[in-house]
mmCIF file with all atom_site columns, all heavy atoms in Angstrom:
data_model
loop_
_atom_site.group_PDB
_atom_site.id
_atom_site.type_symbol
_atom_site.label_atom_id
_atom_site.label_alt_id
_atom_site.label_comp_id
_atom_site.label_asym_id
_atom_site.label_entity_id
_atom_site.label_seq_id
_atom_site.pdbx_PDB_ins_code
_atom_site.Cartn_x
_atom_site.Cartn_y
_atom_site.Cartn_z
_atom_site.occupancy
_atom_site.B_iso_or_equiv
_atom_site.pdbx_formal_charge
_atom_site.auth_seq_id
_atom_site.auth_comp_id
_atom_site.auth_asym_id
_atom_site.auth_atom_id
_atom_site.pdbx_PDB_model_num
ATOM 1   N N   . HIS A 1 181 ? 26.336 98.850  165.338 1.00 87.00 ? 181 HIS A N   1
ATOM 2   C CA  . HIS A 1 181 ? 27.422 98.290  166.146 1.00 87.00 ? 181 HIS A CA  1
ATOM 3   C C   . HIS A 1 181 ? 26.905 97.743  167.464 1.00 87.00 ? 181 HIS A C   1
ATOM 4   O O   . HIS A 1 181 ? 25.746 97.916  167.816 1.00 87.00 ? 181 HIS A O   1
ATOM 5   C CB  . HIS A 1 181 ? 28.468 99.364  166.432 1.00 87.00 ? 181 HIS A CB  1
ATOM 6   C CG  . HIS A 1 181 ? 29.112 99.903  165.205 1.00 87.00 ? 181 HIS A CG  1
ATOM 7   N ND1 . HIS A 1 181 ? 30.191 99.315  164.611 1.00 87.00 ? 181 HIS A ND1 1
ATOM 8   C CD2 . HIS A 1 181 ? 28.803 100.966 164.439 1.00 87.00 ? 181 HIS A CD2 1
ATOM 9   C CE1 . HIS A 1 181 ? 30.535 99.996  163.545 1.00 87.00 ? 181 HIS A CE1 1
ATOM 10  N NE2 . HIS A 1 181 ? 29.710 101.014 163.412 1.00 87.00 ? 181 HIS A NE2 1
ATOM 11  N N   . PHE A 1 207 ? 28.619 107.200 155.715 1.00 93.00 ? 207 PHE A N   1
ATOM 12  C CA  . PHE A 1 207 ? 27.535 107.995 155.119 1.00 93.00 ? 207 PHE A CA  1
ATOM 13  C C   . PHE A 1 207 ? 26.169 107.327 155.246 1.00 93.00 ? 207 PHE A C   1
ATOM 14  O O   . PHE A 1 207 ? 25.264 107.601 154.490 1.00 93.00 ? 207 PHE A O   1
ATOM 15  C CB  . PHE A 1 207 ? 27.874 108.372 153.661 1.00 93.00 ? 207 PHE A CB  1
ATOM 16  C CG  . PHE A 1 207 ? 29.127 109.199 153.606 1.00 93.00 ? 207 PHE A CG  1
ATOM 17  C CD1 . PHE A 1 207 ? 30.360 108.597 153.437 1.00 93.00 ? 207 PHE A CD1 1
ATOM 18  C CD2 . PHE A 1 207 ? 29.088 110.560 153.796 1.00 93.00 ? 207 PHE A CD2 1
ATOM 19  C CE1 . PHE A 1 207 ? 31.530 109.338 153.453 1.00 93.00 ? 207 PHE A CE1 1
ATOM 20  C CE2 . PHE A 1 207 ? 30.253 111.316 153.809 1.00 93.00 ? 207 PHE A CE2 1
ATOM 21  C CZ  . PHE A 1 207 ? 31.473 110.702 153.628 1.00 93.00 ? 207 PHE A CZ  1
ATOM 22  N N   . TRP A 1 208 ? 26.035 106.450 156.230 1.00 94.00 ? 208 TRP A N   1
ATOM 23  C CA  . TRP A 1 208 ? 24.729 105.863 156.519 1.00 94.00 ? 208 TRP A CA  1
ATOM 24  C C   . TRP A 1 208 ? 23.803 106.921 157.091 1.00 94.00 ? 208 TRP A C   1
ATOM 25  O O   . TRP A 1 208 ? 22.589 106.809 156.993 1.00 94.00 ? 208 TRP A O   1
ATOM 26  C CB  . TRP A 1 208 ? 24.882 104.720 157.532 1.00 94.00 ? 208 TRP A CB  1
ATOM 27  C CG  . TRP A 1 208 ? 25.773 103.642 157.033 1.00 94.00 ? 208 TRP A CG  1
ATOM 28  C CD1 . TRP A 1 208 ? 27.130 103.580 157.139 1.00 94.00 ? 208 TRP A CD1 1
ATOM 29  C CD2 . TRP A 1 208 ? 25.388 102.484 156.286 1.00 94.00 ? 208 TRP A CD2 1
ATOM 30  N NE1 . TRP A 1 208 ? 27.606 102.455 156.518 1.00 94.00 ? 208 TRP A NE1 1
ATOM 31  C CE2 . TRP A 1 208 ? 26.563 101.757 155.992 1.00 94.00 ? 208 TRP A CE2 1
ATOM 32  C CE3 . TRP A 1 208 ? 24.157 101.983 155.857 1.00 94.00 ? 208 TRP A CE3 1
ATOM 33  C CZ2 . TRP A 1 208 ? 26.542 100.569 155.273 1.00 94.00 ? 208 TRP A CZ2 1
ATOM 34  C CZ3 . TRP A 1 208 ? 24.134 100.797 155.155 1.00 94.00 ? 208 TRP A CZ3 1
ATOM 35  C CH2 . TRP A 1 208 ? 25.320 100.100 154.867 1.00 94.00 ? 208 TRP A CH2 1
ATOM 36  N N   . LYS A 1 209 ? 24.396 107.917 157.748 1.00 93.00 ? 209 LYS A N   1
ATOM 37  C CA  . LYS A 1 209 ? 23.575 108.917 158.436 1.00 93.00 ? 209 LYS A CA  1
ATOM 38  C C   . LYS A 1 209 ? 23.377 110.164 157.612 1.00 93.00 ? 209 LYS A C   1
ATOM 39  O O   . LYS A 1 209 ? 22.978 111.187 158.154 1.00 93.00 ? 209 LYS A O   1
ATOM 40  C CB  . LYS A 1 209 ? 24.251 109.325 159.755 1.00 93.00 ? 209 LYS A CB  1
ATOM 41  C CG  . LYS A 1 209 ? 24.527 108.164 160.660 1.00 93.00 ? 209 LYS A CG  1
ATOM 42  C CD  . LYS A 1 209 ? 25.104 108.631 161.970 1.00 93.00 ? 209 LYS A CD  1
ATOM 43  C CE  . LYS A 1 209 ? 24.050 109.272 162.827 1.00 93.00 ? 209 LYS A CE  1
ATOM 44  N NZ  . LYS A 1 209 ? 24.531 109.547 164.179 1.00 93.00 ? 209 LYS A NZ  1
ATOM 45  N N   . HIS A 1 210 ? 23.692 110.126 156.319 1.00 94.00 ? 210 HIS A N   1
ATOM 46  C CA  . HIS A 1 210 ? 23.567 111.333 155.508 1.00 94.00 ? 210 HIS A CA  1
ATOM 47  C C   . HIS A 1 210 ? 22.129 111.861 155.579 1.00 94.00 ? 210 HIS A C   1
ATOM 48  O O   . HIS A 1 210 ? 21.191 111.186 155.173 1.00 94.00 ? 210 HIS A O   1
ATOM 49  C CB  . HIS A 1 210 ? 23.949 111.029 154.059 1.00 94.00 ? 210 HIS A CB  1
ATOM 50  C CG  . HIS A 1 210 ? 23.806 112.203 153.159 1.00 94.00 ? 210 HIS A CG  1
ATOM 51  N ND1 . HIS A 1 210 ? 24.655 113.292 153.239 1.00 94.00 ? 210 HIS A ND1 1
ATOM 52  C CD2 . HIS A 1 210 ? 22.905 112.494 152.196 1.00 94.00 ? 210 HIS A CD2 1
ATOM 53  C CE1 . HIS A 1 210 ? 24.277 114.188 152.334 1.00 94.00 ? 210 HIS A CE1 1
ATOM 54  N NE2 . HIS A 1 210 ? 23.217 113.734 151.696 1.00 94.00 ? 210 HIS A NE2 1
ATOM 55  N N   . ARG A 1 211 ? 22.002 113.071 156.128 1.00 93.00 ? 211 ARG A N   1
ATOM 56  C CA  . ARG A 1 211 ? 20.662 113.641 156.345 1.00 93.00 ? 211 ARG A CA  1
ATOM 57  C C   . ARG A 1 211 ? 20.379 114.799 155.397 1.00 93.00 ? 211 ARG A C   1
ATOM 58  O O   . ARG A 1 211 ? 19.344 115.434 155.479 1.00 93.00 ? 211 ARG A O   1
ATOM 59  C CB  . ARG A 1 211 ? 20.544 114.165 157.782 1.00 93.00 ? 211 ARG A CB  1
ATOM 60  C CG  . ARG A 1 211 ? 20.624 113.119 158.848 1.00 93.00 ? 211 ARG A CG  1
ATOM 61  C CD  . ARG A 1 211 ? 21.074 113.718 160.175 1.00 93.00 ? 211 ARG A CD  1
ATOM 62  N NE  . ARG A 1 211 ? 22.476 114.120 160.122 1.00 93.00 ? 211 ARG A NE  1
ATOM 63  C CZ  . ARG A 1 211 ? 23.079 114.864 161.053 1.00 93.00 ? 211 ARG A CZ  1
ATOM 64  N NH1 . ARG A 1 211 ? 22.411 115.285 162.083 1.00 93.00 ? 211 ARG A NH1 1
ATOM 65  N NH2 . ARG A 1 211 ? 24.348 115.198 160.933 1.00 93.00 ? 211 ARG A NH2 1
ATOM 66  N N   . GLY A 1 234 ? 25.975 116.536 167.424 1.00 92.00 ? 234 GLY A N   1
ATOM 67  C CA  . GLY A 1 234 ? 25.457 116.982 168.714 1.00 92.00 ? 234 GLY A CA  1
ATOM 68  C C   . GLY A 1 234 ? 26.523 117.205 169.768 1.00 92.00 ? 234 GLY A C   1
ATOM 69  O O   . GLY A 1 234 ? 26.440 118.152 170.552 1.00 92.00 ? 234 GLY A O   1
ATOM 70  N N   . GLU A 1 301 ? 29.445 113.626 183.783 1.00 95.00 ? 301 GLU A N   1
ATOM 71  C CA  . GLU A 1 301 ? 28.073 113.939 184.158 1.00 95.00 ? 301 GLU A CA  1
ATOM 72  C C   . GLU A 1 301 ? 28.023 115.224 184.987 1.00 95.00 ? 301 GLU A C   1
ATOM 73  O O   . GLU A 1 301 ? 27.146 116.067 184.795 1.00 95.00 ? 301 GLU A O   1
ATOM 74  C CB  . GLU A 1 301 ? 27.486 112.765 184.943 1.00 95.00 ? 301 GLU A CB  1
ATOM 75  C CG  . GLU A 1 301 ? 26.075 112.973 185.456 1.00 95.00 ? 301 GLU A CG  1
ATOM 76  C CD  . GLU A 1 301 ? 25.055 113.220 184.361 1.00 95.00 ? 301 GLU A CD  1
ATOM 77  O OE1 . GLU A 1 301 ? 25.254 112.744 183.223 1.00 95.00 ? 301 GLU A OE1 1
ATOM 78  O OE2 . GLU A 1 301 ? 24.054 113.913 184.635 1.00 95.00 ? 301 GLU A OE2 1
ATOM 79  N N   . ASP A 1 308 ? 24.054 122.423 182.108 1.00 93.00 ? 308 ASP A N   1
ATOM 80  C CA  . ASP A 1 308 ? 22.601 122.561 182.192 1.00 93.00 ? 308 ASP A CA  1
ATOM 81  C C   . ASP A 1 308 ? 22.227 123.716 183.126 1.00 93.00 ? 308 ASP A C   1
ATOM 82  O O   . ASP A 1 308 ? 21.357 124.534 182.813 1.00 93.00 ? 308 ASP A O   1
ATOM 83  C CB  . ASP A 1 308 ? 22.015 121.235 182.707 1.00 93.00 ? 308 ASP A CB  1
ATOM 84  C CG  . ASP A 1 308 ? 20.559 121.064 182.291 1.00 93.00 ? 308 ASP A CG  1
ATOM 85  O OD1 . ASP A 1 308 ? 20.025 121.971 181.625 1.00 93.00 ? 308 ASP A OD1 1
ATOM 86  O OD2 . ASP A 1 308 ? 19.960 120.030 182.634 1.00 93.00 ? 308 ASP A OD2 1
ATOM 87  N N   . ARG A 1 314 ? 22.266 120.707 178.409 1.00 93.00 ? 314 ARG A N   1
ATOM 88  C CA  . ARG A 1 314 ? 23.449 119.902 178.757 1.00 93.00 ? 314 ARG A CA  1
ATOM 89  C C   . ARG A 1 314 ? 24.491 119.943 177.658 1.00 93.00 ? 314 ARG A C   1
ATOM 90  O O   . ARG A 1 314 ? 25.649 119.637 177.875 1.00 93.00 ? 314 ARG A O   1
ATOM 91  C CB  . ARG A 1 314 ? 23.021 118.452 179.029 1.00 93.00 ? 314 ARG A CB  1
ATOM 92  C CG  . ARG A 1 314 ? 22.262 118.294 180.341 1.00 93.00 ? 314 ARG A CG  1
ATOM 93  C CD  . ARG A 1 314 ? 21.507 116.982 180.396 1.00 93.00 ? 314 ARG A CD  1
ATOM 94  N NE  . ARG A 1 314 ? 22.361 115.817 180.242 1.00 93.00 ? 314 ARG A NE  1
ATOM 95  C CZ  . ARG A 1 314 ? 22.965 115.178 181.252 1.00 93.00 ? 314 ARG A CZ  1
ATOM 96  N NH1 . ARG A 1 314 ? 22.815 115.612 182.476 1.00 93.00 ? 314 ARG A NH1 1
ATOM 97  N NH2 . ARG A 1 314 ? 23.695 114.108 181.019 1.00 93.00 ? 314 ARG A NH2 1
ATOM 98  N N   . ASP A 1 347 ? 40.258 116.174 191.406 1.00 92.00 ? 347 ASP A N   1
ATOM 99  C CA  . ASP A 1 347 ? 39.601 114.884 191.294 1.00 92.00 ? 347 ASP A CA  1
ATOM 100 C C   . ASP A 1 347 ? 40.184 114.110 190.109 1.00 92.00 ? 347 ASP A C   1
ATOM 101 O O   . ASP A 1 347 ? 40.587 112.944 190.222 1.00 92.00 ? 347 ASP A O   1
ATOM 102 C CB  . ASP A 1 347 ? 38.104 115.175 191.053 1.00 92.00 ? 347 ASP A CB  1
ATOM 103 C CG  . ASP A 1 347 ? 37.217 113.994 191.332 1.00 92.00 ? 347 ASP A CG  1
ATOM 104 O OD1 . ASP A 1 347 ? 37.747 112.894 191.499 1.00 92.00 ? 347 ASP A OD1 1
ATOM 105 O OD2 . ASP A 1 347 ? 35.983 114.172 191.350 1.00 92.00 ? 347 ASP A OD2 1
ATOM 106 N N   . LYS B 2 7   ? 40.382 106.859 196.839 1.00 87.00 ? 7   LYS B N   1
ATOM 107 C CA  . LYS B 2 7   ? 39.562 107.617 195.880 1.00 87.00 ? 7   LYS B CA  1
ATOM 108 C C   . LYS B 2 7   ? 38.103 107.195 195.996 1.00 87.00 ? 7   LYS B C   1
ATOM 109 O O   . LYS B 2 7   ? 37.198 108.030 196.008 1.00 87.00 ? 7   LYS B O   1
ATOM 110 C CB  . LYS B 2 7   ? 40.096 107.364 194.457 1.00 87.00 ? 7   LYS B CB  1
ATOM 111 C CG  . LYS B 2 7   ? 39.446 108.214 193.392 1.00 87.00 ? 7   LYS B CG  1
ATOM 112 C CD  . LYS B 2 7   ? 39.956 109.638 193.465 1.00 87.00 ? 7   LYS B CD  1
ATOM 113 C CE  . LYS B 2 7   ? 38.932 110.595 192.944 1.00 87.00 ? 7   LYS B CE  1
ATOM 114 N NZ  . LYS B 2 7   ? 39.098 111.946 193.431 1.00 87.00 ? 7   LYS B NZ  1
ATOM 115 N N   . ARG B 2 46  ? 18.345 97.322  172.903 1.00 93.00 ? 46  ARG B N   1
ATOM 116 C CA  . ARG B 2 46  ? 19.294 97.485  171.805 1.00 93.00 ? 46  ARG B CA  1
ATOM 117 C C   . ARG B 2 46  ? 19.046 98.879  171.235 1.00 93.00 ? 46  ARG B C   1
ATOM 118 O O   . ARG B 2 46  ? 17.918 99.222  170.903 1.00 93.00 ? 46  ARG B O   1
ATOM 119 C CB  . ARG B 2 46  ? 19.027 96.395  170.752 1.00 93.00 ? 46  ARG B CB  1
ATOM 120 C CG  . ARG B 2 46  ? 19.760 96.556  169.418 1.00 93.00 ? 46  ARG B CG  1
ATOM 121 C CD  . ARG B 2 46  ? 21.209 96.126  169.539 1.00 93.00 ? 46  ARG B CD  1
ATOM 122 N NE  . ARG B 2 46  ? 21.951 97.207  170.141 1.00 93.00 ? 46  ARG B NE  1
ATOM 123 C CZ  . ARG B 2 46  ? 23.076 97.712  169.664 1.00 93.00 ? 46  ARG B CZ  1
ATOM 124 N NH1 . ARG B 2 46  ? 23.641 97.182  168.622 1.00 93.00 ? 46  ARG B NH1 1
ATOM 125 N NH2 . ARG B 2 46  ? 23.671 98.713  170.246 1.00 93.00 ? 46  ARG B NH2 1
ATOM 126 N N   . ASP B 2 49  ? 20.723 103.769 166.003 1.00 94.00 ? 49  ASP B N   1
ATOM 127 C CA  . ASP B 2 49  ? 20.804 105.155 165.558 1.00 94.00 ? 49  ASP B CA  1
ATOM 128 C C   . ASP B 2 49  ? 20.503 105.185 164.060 1.00 94.00 ? 49  ASP B C   1
ATOM 129 O O   . ASP B 2 49  ? 21.190 104.558 163.266 1.00 94.00 ? 49  ASP B O   1
ATOM 130 C CB  . ASP B 2 49  ? 22.221 105.669 165.857 1.00 94.00 ? 49  ASP B CB  1
ATOM 131 C CG  . ASP B 2 49  ? 22.482 107.046 165.264 1.00 94.00 ? 49  ASP B CG  1
ATOM 132 O OD1 . ASP B 2 49  ? 21.612 107.576 164.567 1.00 94.00 ? 49  ASP B OD1 1
ATOM 133 O OD2 . ASP B 2 49  ? 23.586 107.585 165.513 1.00 94.00 ? 49  ASP B OD2 1
ATOM 134 N N   . SER B 2 52  ? 20.753 110.212 163.926 1.00 93.00 ? 52  SER B N   1
ATOM 135 C CA  . SER B 2 52  ? 20.680 111.285 164.917 1.00 93.00 ? 52  SER B CA  1
ATOM 136 C C   . SER B 2 52  ? 21.946 112.132 164.849 1.00 93.00 ? 52  SER B C   1
ATOM 137 O O   . SER B 2 52  ? 22.903 111.781 164.163 1.00 93.00 ? 52  SER B O   1
ATOM 138 C CB  . SER B 2 52  ? 20.550 110.701 166.315 1.00 93.00 ? 52  SER B CB  1
ATOM 139 O OG  . SER B 2 52  ? 21.819 110.333 166.793 1.00 93.00 ? 52  SER B OG  1
ATOM 140 N N   . CYS B 2 53  ? 21.962 113.226 165.597 1.00 92.00 ? 53  CYS B N   1
ATOM 141 C CA  . CYS B 2 53  ? 23.158 114.070 165.616 1.00 92.00 ? 53  CYS B CA  1
ATOM 142 C C   . CYS B 2 53  ? 24.156 113.564 166.649 1.00 92.00 ? 53  CYS B C   1
ATOM 143 O O   . CYS B 2 53  ? 25.158 114.195 166.880 1.00 92.00 ? 53  CYS B O   1
ATOM 144 C CB  . CYS B 2 53  ? 22.786 115.515 165.902 1.00 92.00 ? 53  CYS B CB  1
ATOM 145 S SG  . CYS B 2 53  ? 22.219 115.780 167.582 1.00 92.00 ? 53  CYS B SG  1
ATOM 146 N N   . GLU B 2 59  ? 23.336 110.773 175.587 1.00 94.00 ? 59  GLU B N   1
ATOM 147 C CA  . GLU B 2 59  ? 22.465 110.700 176.754 1.00 94.00 ? 59  GLU B CA  1
ATOM 148 C C   . GLU B 2 59  ? 22.102 109.255 177.098 1.00 94.00 ? 59  GLU B C   1
ATOM 149 O O   . GLU B 2 59  ? 21.953 108.912 178.268 1.00 94.00 ? 59  GLU B O   1
ATOM 150 C CB  . GLU B 2 59  ? 21.198 111.533 176.524 1.00 94.00 ? 59  GLU B CB  1
ATOM 151 C CG  . GLU B 2 59  ? 21.466 113.031 176.344 1.00 94.00 ? 59  GLU B CG  1
ATOM 152 C CD  . GLU B 2 59  ? 22.153 113.701 177.538 1.00 94.00 ? 59  GLU B CD  1
ATOM 153 O OE1 . GLU B 2 59  ? 23.152 113.164 178.050 1.00 94.00 ? 59  GLU B OE1 1
ATOM 154 O OE2 . GLU B 2 59  ? 21.689 114.787 177.943 1.00 94.00 ? 59  GLU B OE2 1
ATOM 155 N N   . TYR B 2 68  ? 23.337 107.780 187.003 1.00 93.00 ? 68  TYR B N   1
ATOM 156 C CA  . TYR B 2 68  ? 21.997 107.267 186.675 1.00 93.00 ? 68  TYR B CA  1
ATOM 157 C C   . TYR B 2 68  ? 21.911 105.762 186.896 1.00 93.00 ? 68  TYR B C   1
ATOM 158 O O   . TYR B 2 68  ? 20.857 105.243 187.269 1.00 93.00 ? 68  TYR B O   1
ATOM 159 C CB  . TYR B 2 68  ? 21.641 107.628 185.228 1.00 93.00 ? 68  TYR B CB  1
ATOM 160 C CG  . TYR B 2 68  ? 21.597 109.115 185.028 1.00 93.00 ? 68  TYR B CG  1
ATOM 161 C CD1 . TYR B 2 68  ? 22.659 109.798 184.450 1.00 93.00 ? 68  TYR B CD1 1
ATOM 162 C CD2 . TYR B 2 68  ? 20.511 109.852 185.501 1.00 93.00 ? 68  TYR B CD2 1
ATOM 163 C CE1 . TYR B 2 68  ? 22.638 111.177 184.320 1.00 93.00 ? 68  TYR B CE1 1
ATOM 164 C CE2 . TYR B 2 68  ? 20.479 111.232 185.373 1.00 93.00 ? 68  TYR B CE2 1
ATOM 165 C CZ  . TYR B 2 68  ? 21.550 111.888 184.778 1.00 93.00 ? 68  TYR B CZ  1
ATOM 166 O OH  . TYR B 2 68  ? 21.521 113.250 184.663 1.00 93.00 ? 68  TYR B OH  1
ATOM 167 N N   . THR B 2 94  ? 17.328 107.857 158.002 1.00 94.00 ? 94  THR B N   1
ATOM 168 C CA  . THR B 2 94  ? 17.854 108.320 156.719 1.00 94.00 ? 94  THR B CA  1
ATOM 169 C C   . THR B 2 94  ? 17.577 107.281 155.642 1.00 94.00 ? 94  THR B C   1
ATOM 170 O O   . THR B 2 94  ? 17.308 106.118 155.938 1.00 94.00 ? 94  THR B O   1
ATOM 171 C CB  . THR B 2 94  ? 19.375 108.533 156.817 1.00 94.00 ? 94  THR B CB  1
ATOM 172 O OG1 . THR B 2 94  ? 19.972 107.282 157.160 1.00 94.00 ? 94  THR B OG1 1
ATOM 173 C CG2 . THR B 2 94  ? 19.728 109.559 157.874 1.00 94.00 ? 94  THR B CG2 1
ATOM 174 N N   . ASN B 2 96  ? 19.670 105.935 153.805 1.00 92.00 ? 96  ASN B N   1
ATOM 175 C CA  . ASN B 2 96  ? 20.678 104.882 153.850 1.00 92.00 ? 96  ASN B CA  1
ATOM 176 C C   . ASN B 2 96  ? 20.488 103.921 155.025 1.00 92.00 ? 96  ASN B C   1
ATOM 177 O O   . ASN B 2 96  ? 21.006 102.819 154.994 1.00 92.00 ? 96  ASN B O   1
ATOM 178 C CB  . ASN B 2 96  ? 22.088 105.498 153.916 1.00 92.00 ? 96  ASN B CB  1
ATOM 179 C CG  . ASN B 2 96  ? 22.472 106.186 152.620 1.00 92.00 ? 96  ASN B CG  1
ATOM 180 O OD1 . ASN B 2 96  ? 21.817 106.005 151.597 1.00 92.00 ? 96  ASN B OD1 1
ATOM 181 N ND2 . ASN B 2 96  ? 23.525 106.986 152.654 1.00 92.00 ? 96  ASN B ND2 1
ATOM 182 N N   . SER B 2 130 ? 13.663 116.418 154.221 1.00 93.00 ? 130 SER B N   1
ATOM 183 C CA  . SER B 2 130 ? 14.897 116.319 153.444 1.00 93.00 ? 130 SER B CA  1
ATOM 184 C C   . SER B 2 130 ? 14.858 115.115 152.510 1.00 93.00 ? 130 SER B C   1
ATOM 185 O O   . SER B 2 130 ? 14.286 114.072 152.840 1.00 93.00 ? 130 SER B O   1
ATOM 186 C CB  . SER B 2 130 ? 16.085 116.202 154.399 1.00 93.00 ? 130 SER B CB  1
ATOM 187 O OG  . SER B 2 130 ? 17.211 115.711 153.716 1.00 93.00 ? 130 SER B OG  1
ATOM 188 N N   . ARG B 2 153 ? 16.754 114.597 178.443 1.00 93.00 ? 153 ARG B N   1
ATOM 189 C CA  . ARG B 2 153 ? 17.782 114.424 179.482 1.00 93.00 ? 153 ARG B CA  1
ATOM 190 C C   . ARG B 2 153 ? 17.745 112.981 179.991 1.00 93.00 ? 153 ARG B C   1
ATOM 191 O O   . ARG B 2 153 ? 16.681 112.352 179.974 1.00 93.00 ? 153 ARG B O   1
ATOM 192 C CB  . ARG B 2 153 ? 17.519 115.376 180.638 1.00 93.00 ? 153 ARG B CB  1
ATOM 193 C CG  . ARG B 2 153 ? 17.732 116.832 180.277 1.00 93.00 ? 153 ARG B CG  1
ATOM 194 C CD  . ARG B 2 153 ? 17.499 117.730 181.480 1.00 93.00 ? 153 ARG B CD  1
ATOM 195 N NE  . ARG B 2 153 ? 17.869 119.096 181.174 1.00 93.00 ? 153 ARG B NE  1
ATOM 196 C CZ  . ARG B 2 153 ? 17.065 119.962 180.569 1.00 93.00 ? 153 ARG B CZ  1
ATOM 197 N NH1 . ARG B 2 153 ? 15.849 119.589 180.223 1.00 93.00 ? 153 ARG B NH1 1
ATOM 198 N NH2 . ARG B 2 153 ? 17.470 121.183 180.311 1.00 93.00 ? 153 ARG B NH2 1
#
Side-chain angles (χ1 to χ4, degrees):
Chain A
H181 298 274
F207 299 92
W208 300 87
K209 304 184 74 171
H210 178 70
R211 295 156 290 169
E301 177 60 28
D308 204 359
R314 288 163 58 89
D347 198 348
Chain B
K7 187 75 208 158
R46 170 78 280 230
D49 172 356
S52 82
C53 70
E59 297 300 48
Y68 298 100
T94 60
N96 291 347
S130 162
R153 292 182 173 84

